[in-house]
Every structure is written in structure tokens, then in C-alpha cells.
Amino acid sequence: MLNHLESLKELALWDALSLMIIISDNAASNAMLDLLGKENINKAISDLGLKNTTIERRFMDFEAAEKGLDNRISAGDMKSSV
């Protein structure tokens, strides 16, 4: 969605989070990755006790994916986090 809003220069944090969660917007998700940093996100994931979840690359980063970097999550982690 964000990639189609060329005139949009700024977006409130809440709006970016809403787009990321409600419509799975990759640009909004990447903006959050850039803002928070993969290291901080992975630390939070670890602190929550999630053992099979990790963020290794930005979304739609096909070059990183070709190098074997990927984002992973497991059904078991989702069950344990509820």
C-alpha cells in the first residue's frame, strides 16, 4: 500500500503499525525494521521465549533471501506466546 502512495512523505507510527498488521504491508514492515533494528527485534523475540522465530532480512529482499537469510516463525512459538 505504501509503495502506491507516492505523495506520502511521513506516516505516524501508529498508522505504519496498523498497515503492517492489518494488511501485511511490506513497506510498513520494513519501516518498522529500520526504525527498531533487527537486533532489537530479535532480542525482544528471544526475551519472549520464542525459540524458532527470527528476523534475518527485510521483507521482499530477494538478494538476502538468495544468500540464505530468511525470516522464520513457528506455530509452536505462536501457541506459546498467546
Side-chain angles (χ1 to χ4, degrees), residues 7-12:
S7 64
L8 186 63
K9 298 293 182 207
E10 292 184 23
L11 186 66

Side-chain angles (χ1 to χ4, degrees), residues 1-3 16 19-30 59:
M1 177 66 95
L2 287 179
N3 289 334
L19 288 170
M20 182 182 82
I21 294 167
I22 294 171
I23 64 168
S24 228
D25 186 278
N26 290 320
S29 298
N30 284 337
F59 294 93

Side-chain angles (χ1 to χ4, degrees), residues 4-20:
H4 298 288
L5 303 174
E6 295 177 17
S7 64
L8 186 63
K9 298 293 182 207
E10 292 184 23
L11 186 66
L13 179 61
W14 183 256
D15 292 334
L17 289 171
S18 296
L19 288 170
M20 182 182 82

Side-chain angles (χ1 to χ4, degrees), residues 21-55:
I21 294 167
I22 294 171
I23 64 168
S24 228
D25 186 278
N26 290 320
S29 298
N30 284 337
M32 292 299 100
L33 284 173
D34 293 343
L35 178 68
L36 300 172
K38 288 182 290 215
E39 299 81 15
N40 291 325
I41 293 169
N42 283 320
K43 182 176 180 336
I45 288 168
S46 177
D47 290 348
L48 288 169
L50 306 178
K51 306 216 181 298
N52 298 301
T53 299
T54 187
I55 300 291

Side-chain angles (χ1 to χ4, degrees), residues 33 38 54-59 69-73:
L33 284 173
K38 288 182 290 215
T54 187
I55 300 291
E56 294 182 345
R57 64 176 175 83
R58 298 176 89 225
F59 294 93
L69 299 174
D70 211 348
N71 301 327
R72 294 177 180 82
I73 192 164

